[in-house]
């Protein structure tokens, strides 16, 4: 039961939601409805019916979604995701409203936040089943607590965002090397 292309997009929505917590700089990346509409819109969600109740729900949900990336033990992760799923308004239905058969997991008429939640959980569970829980990790850069979804063939992704974190780490390593050179007395 695969549901690409929705699966990867749903996981990326979860990643963006969790990273909007931005624990490294302390500011919340999901301050209001506009920010929430933008985040969801960027990940392909139709946000016409987004409400402030959705915003509150998603904001509160983030630490529990974050735990899915922090937990080391695969069984513990599955237990966590299954428990969250048991709280959802789930009723799987096959639909082709956009031309291709795919599952909707949230009950028809569920709120946008519920649909994001349920679809995200199902997508995370499929990742664990098909690719393994180590695809869901924390960024390896010092001082960065962002989470990431590793879709590389050889499990090689280490940083949340190749542009910012990978660069930062390379710059720090370069500076360290320069410092070591400077500290070495000339002979
Ligand atoms: Zn659909
Ligand atoms: Zn990072």
């Amino acid at each position: 039961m695969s549901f690409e292309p929705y699966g990867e997009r749903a996981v990326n929505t979860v990643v963006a939601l969790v990273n909007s917590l931005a624990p490294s700089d302390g500011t919340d990346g999901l301050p209001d409805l506009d920010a929430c509409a933008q985040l969801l819109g960027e990940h392909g969600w139709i946000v016409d019916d987004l409400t402030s109740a959705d915003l509150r729900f998603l904001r509160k949900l983030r630490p529990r979604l974050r735990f899915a990336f922090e937990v080391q033990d695969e069984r513990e992760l599955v237990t966590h995701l299954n428990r969250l799923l048991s709280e959802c308004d789930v009723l799987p239905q096959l639909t082709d409203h956009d031309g291709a058969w795919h599952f909707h997991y949230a009950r028809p008429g569920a709120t946008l936040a519920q649909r994001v939640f349920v679809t995200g959980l199902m997508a995370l569970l499929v990742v664990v089943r098909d690719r393994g829980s180590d695809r869901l990790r924390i960024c390896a850069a010092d001082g960065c607590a962002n989470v990431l979804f590793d879709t590389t063939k050889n499990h090689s992704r280490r940083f949340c965002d190749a542009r910012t974190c990978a660069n930062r780490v390379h710059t720090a390593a370069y500076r360290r090397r320069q410092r070591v050179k400077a500290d070495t007395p000339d002979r």
Side-chain angles (χ1 to χ4, degrees), residues 163-176:
R163 264 170 312 157
T164 52
C165 271
N167 281 347
R168 196 146 56 85
V169 167
H170 290 147
T171 308
Y174 175 78
R175 289 219 186 95
R176 252 191 322 271

Side-chain angles (χ1 to χ4, degrees), residues 139 141 144 146 159-161 165 168:
C139 176
C144 178
N146 278 349
F159 305 110
C160 62
D161 182 319
C165 271
R168 196 146 56 85

Side-chain angles (χ1 to χ4, degrees), residues 6 95 97-98 102-104:
Y6 298 90
T95 171
H97 67 94
D98 63 355
H102 63 283
F103 279 104
H104 281 178

